[in-house]
């Protein structure tokens, strides 16, 4: 009976547009982090936040570079703890792609988001050396063979959740964001209401200003956001500092001194988010200073015709229909193509 129930609900959920997706957990990240060390020079490690996690196709990287990609980006979190951890680890001798957000490089804000916790737990685990299989290993294994491949468990749910909240609910809509077992993600922005979704993203990106009424109709909200963004200027409190740049270069040098490579990239943005970042963090005061002070290779999407033609539907992330072509162009622009 259980087998019949699962089989029938899987078919019905698929026909309704739902797909398998995993929960992006710390256990999954630690598993990938262990793989990054084990791969050695064959590793192609991605570090950053949601833009590189959604915008890069790992299969394309694998095919075009001959390396094995490892997705270590963490949504909404600082890259610093992860990047520092890679710099400290003598087993990391591969290639690292670090996606920088517009703004100051600061190693003092490393506790922002979950990356500090993830890295600390990984450090504690790796210091133990050999360890017997435990709950963590069993959970990752169990998820990989069952939960990652059944729509009933999508988004951390259970079969009964899917039955009542998705199949029995006529208003339930398929998820726009999918996470895969390798921790890569894809977003289908044709499944979200536009322009409301885009305008809400802009509102959050600029810090939920009280001067903007988020409850206004879309056309009025768009005008109000545009007016607010036009008044933005760089602030001294968030300026690029020599200290931050020195810390970044110290980590880069540590990796490259043992034969590794570091490539620092800027992912595309669009619309009001691009305008807001350009006003708050102009390239001459931020990105250009990184380029001038690092020995890593740098690639900015605005400097390459093949990268600058992409539009982010929510202003901040690429749609799944663009990730393959963007990744192909990035591999060429960053000089990552296999010989």
């Amino acid at each position: 009976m259980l087998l019949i129930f699962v089989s029938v609900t899987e078919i019905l959920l698929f026909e309704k547009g739902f797909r398998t997706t995993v929960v992006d957990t710390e256990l999954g990240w630690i598993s990938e982090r262990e793989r990054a060390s084990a791969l050695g020079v064959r590793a192609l490690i991605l570090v950053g936040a949601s833009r590189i996690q959604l915008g890069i196709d790992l299969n394309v990287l694998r095919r075009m570079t001959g390396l094995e990609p490892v997705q270590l980006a963490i949504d909404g979190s600082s890259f610093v703890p992860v990047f520092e951890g890679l710099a400290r680890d003598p087993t990391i001798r591969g290639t690292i792609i670090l996606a920088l957000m517009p703004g100051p490089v600061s190693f003092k804000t490393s506790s922002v988001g979950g990356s500090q916790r993830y890295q600390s737990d990984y450090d504690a685990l790796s210091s133990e050396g050999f360890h017997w299989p435990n709950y963590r290993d069993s959970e990752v294994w169990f998820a990989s063979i069952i939960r990652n491949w059944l729509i009933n468990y999508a988004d951390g749910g259970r079969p009964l959740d899917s039955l009542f909240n998705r199949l029995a609910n006529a208003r339930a809509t398929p998820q726009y964001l999918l996470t895969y077992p390798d921790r890569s993600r894809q977003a289908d922005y044709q499944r979200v209401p536009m322009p409301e979704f885009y305008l809400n993203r802009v509102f959050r990106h600029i810090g939920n200003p009280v001067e903007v009424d988020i409850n206004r109709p879309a056309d009025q909200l768009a005008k109000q956001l545009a007016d607010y963004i036009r008044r933005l200027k760089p602030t001294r409190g968030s300026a690029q500092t020599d200290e931050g740049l020195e810390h970044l270069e110290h980590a880069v040098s540590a990796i490259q001194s043992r034969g590794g490579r570091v490539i620092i990239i800027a992912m595309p943005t669009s619309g009001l988010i691009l305008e807001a970042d350009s006003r708050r963090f102009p390239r001459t005061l931020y990105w250009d200073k990184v380029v001038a002070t690092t020995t890593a290779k740098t690639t900015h999407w605005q400097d390459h015709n093949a990268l600058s033609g992409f539009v982010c539907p929510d202003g901040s992330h690429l749609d799944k229909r663009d990730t393959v072509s963007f990744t192909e162009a990035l591999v060429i622009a960053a000089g990552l193509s296999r010989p």
Side-chain angles (χ1 to χ4, degrees), residues 68-137:
E68 183 59 30
V70 181
Q71 181 57 268
L72 293 185
I74 302 174
D75 187 5
S77 192
S78 169
F79 75 91
V80 170
V82 177
F83 194 59
E84 283 188 314
L86 295 171
R88 292 193 304 267
D89 188 345
T91 67
I92 298 299
R93 296 178 292 116
T95 300
I96 298 173
I97 302 178
L98 170 62
L100 284 187
M101 294 284 287
V105 175
S106 176
F107 279 55
K108 294 181 178 180
T109 58
S110 60
S111 61
V112 176
S115 57
Q116 182 63 59
R117 184 179 74 254
Y118 284 23
Q119 184 62 44
S120 296
D121 289 349
Y122 171 77
D123 289 339
L125 183 68
S126 59
S127 67
E128 297 174 3
F130 175 80
H131 57 277
W132 292 101
N134 52 25
Y135 167 78
R136 180 187 69 86
D137 301 319

Side-chain angles (χ1 to χ4, degrees), residues 226-300:
D227 290 342
Y228 178 86
I229 288 172
R230 288 192 195 100
R231 298 194 298 269
L232 293 176
K233 296 179 180 179
T235 59
R236 289 187 177 182
S238 61
Q240 193 73 278
T241 64
D242 292 339
E243 182 182 18
L245 295 173
E246 289 171 3
H247 284 154
L248 176 63
E249 180 55 22
H250 178 75
V252 168
S253 297
I255 294 166
Q256 298 192 147
S257 67
R258 51 180 181 262
R261 288 190 297 171
V262 179
I263 301 171
I264 300 175
I265 68 170
M267 294 289 290
T269 54
S270 303
L272 292 175
I273 286 182
L274 172 58
E275 183 176 352
D277 286 345
S278 298
R279 291 180 179 277
R280 292 186 298 181
F281 312 116
R283 284 189 58 172
T284 54
L285 299 180
Y286 294 90
W287 175 261
D288 290 354
K289 289 190 175 183
V290 172
V291 174
T293 57
T294 185
T295 55
K297 182 179 177 60
T298 57
T299 303
H300 196 292

Side-chain angles (χ1 to χ4, degrees), residues 26-39 58 69-72 122 181-183:
E26 179 181 342
L27 296 178
W29 185 89
I30 289 177
S31 179
E32 289 299 296
R33 177 60 183 84
E34 290 175 334
R35 200 164 68 90
S37 287
L39 285 167
L58 301 193
V70 181
Q71 181 57 268
L72 293 185
Y122 171 77
D182 60 11
R183 296 193 68 255

Side-chain angles (χ1 to χ4, degrees), residues 8 15-16 39 49 56 68 79 82 130 174 184 191 208 211 224 248 270 320 328:
V8 170
E15 290 180 345
K16 201 170 181 179
L39 285 167
I56 302 295
E68 183 59 30
F79 75 91
V82 177
F130 175 80
S184 63
R191 291 189 169 188
N208 307 327
E211 299 94 322
Q224 200 172 26
L248 176 63
S270 303
K320 71 173 190 176
E328 291 173 342

Side-chain angles (χ1 to χ4, degrees), residues 145-178:
I145 64 172
I146 298 181
R147 296 184 179 180
N148 291 354
W149 303 105
L150 291 177
I151 307 175
N152 274 280
Y153 287 99
D155 303 304
R158 298 172 298 176
L160 286 180
D161 297 325
S162 296
L163 175 63
F164 292 114
N165 297 330
R166 289 180 166 172
L167 287 178
N169 184 359
R171 294 182 297 177
T173 56
Q175 66 270 56
Y176 86 96
L177 184 64
L178 299 179

